[in-house]
């Protein structure tokens, strides 16, 4: 564990910084998928730069926030999609503007990761959920 941290510090000092997802990517994934998706990306950023404690805090916060969102959105008899988007927007804002900026002070110095891999994974996870919801709604009618 100590050796890994030393290697990471040496890599950062030599200018070979790990790639990270930008705060805009984290916000976008939070809005269009959910806060947990943005939280996982931010967690990965933090782990890549050696901030494992902060990564765990971010992941825990995004899981709790996603559960709260799910509960609040489903309180009304008919769920309101705009309420979900509002929660996702706020969650993404907190992840990208508070956690990201407080934990990654020199983000502009890191190269950017491409979004294709997490985008494909997010679609693969989300698509069956959407299909199931559409199917369930069609059965109710």
């Amino acid at each position: 564990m100590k050796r890994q941290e030393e290697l990471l510090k040496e890599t950062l000092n030599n200018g070979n910084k790990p790639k990270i997802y930008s705060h805009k990517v984290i916000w976008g994934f939070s809005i269009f998928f959910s806060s947990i998706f943005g939280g996982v990306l931010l967690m990965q950023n933090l782990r890549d730069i050696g901030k494992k404690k902060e990564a765990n805090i971010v992941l825990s916060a995004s899981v709790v926030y996603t559960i709260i969102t799910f509960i609040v959105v489903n309180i009304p008899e008919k769920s309101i999609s705009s309420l979900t988007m509002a929660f996702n927007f706020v969650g993404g804002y907190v992840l990208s503007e508070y956690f990201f900026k407080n934990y990654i002070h020199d983000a502009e110095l890191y190269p950017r990761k491409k979004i294709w891999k997490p985008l494909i994974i997010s679609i693969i996870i989300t698509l069956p959920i959407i299909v199931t919801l559409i199917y369930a709604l069609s059965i109710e009618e």
Side-chain angles (χ1 to χ4, degrees), residues 88-102:
N88 288 351
F89 188 85
V90 170
Y93 183 81
V94 170
L95 286 170
S96 65
E97 297 298 319
Y98 176 75
F99 285 116
F100 189 97
K101 290 185 177 180
N102 281 337

Side-chain angles (χ1 to χ4, degrees), residues 10-21:
E10 186 178 313
T11 300
L12 293 176
N13 290 336
N14 291 336
N16 299 328
K17 294 190 177 219
K19 292 181 178 182
I20 64 171
Y21 298 106

Side-chain angles (χ1 to χ4, degrees), residues 12-74:
L12 293 176
N13 290 336
N14 291 336
N16 299 328
K17 294 190 177 219
K19 292 181 178 182
I20 64 171
Y21 298 106
S22 73
H23 76 283
K24 290 179 182 179
V25 168
I26 291 166
W27 199 354
F29 271 78
S30 297
I31 291 171
F32 293 110
F33 294 103
S34 80
S35 297
I36 198 157
F37 287 87
V40 168
L41 295 180
L42 182 52
M43 177 203 67
Q44 188 61 53
N45 280 355
L46 292 167
R47 285 191 175 181
D48 289 347
I49 65 171
K51 296 185 175 187
K52 292 182 180 172
K53 180 182 175 187
E54 292 86 347
N56 292 333
I57 291 169
V58 166
L59 183 61
S60 299
S62 64
V63 167
V64 168
Y65 186 78
T66 301
I67 291 169
I68 291 169
T69 299
F70 182 76
I71 292 169
V72 170
V73 166
N74 288 304

Side-chain angles (χ1 to χ4, degrees), residues 95-137:
L95 286 170
S96 65
E97 297 298 319
Y98 176 75
F99 285 116
F100 189 97
K101 290 185 177 180
N102 281 337
Y103 292 152
I104 306 175
H105 303 289
D106 52 352
E108 65 280 348
L109 301 178
Y110 290 92
R112 299 286 181 244
K113 279 187 183 178
K114 303 233 183 265
I115 67 165
W116 299 112
K117 184 178 177 182
L119 183 62
I120 291 168
I121 292 169
S122 299
I123 291 170
I124 288 171
I125 291 171
T126 306
L127 198 57
I129 295 169
I130 292 171
V131 169
T132 304
L133 287 172
I134 291 170
Y135 181 71
L137 289 174

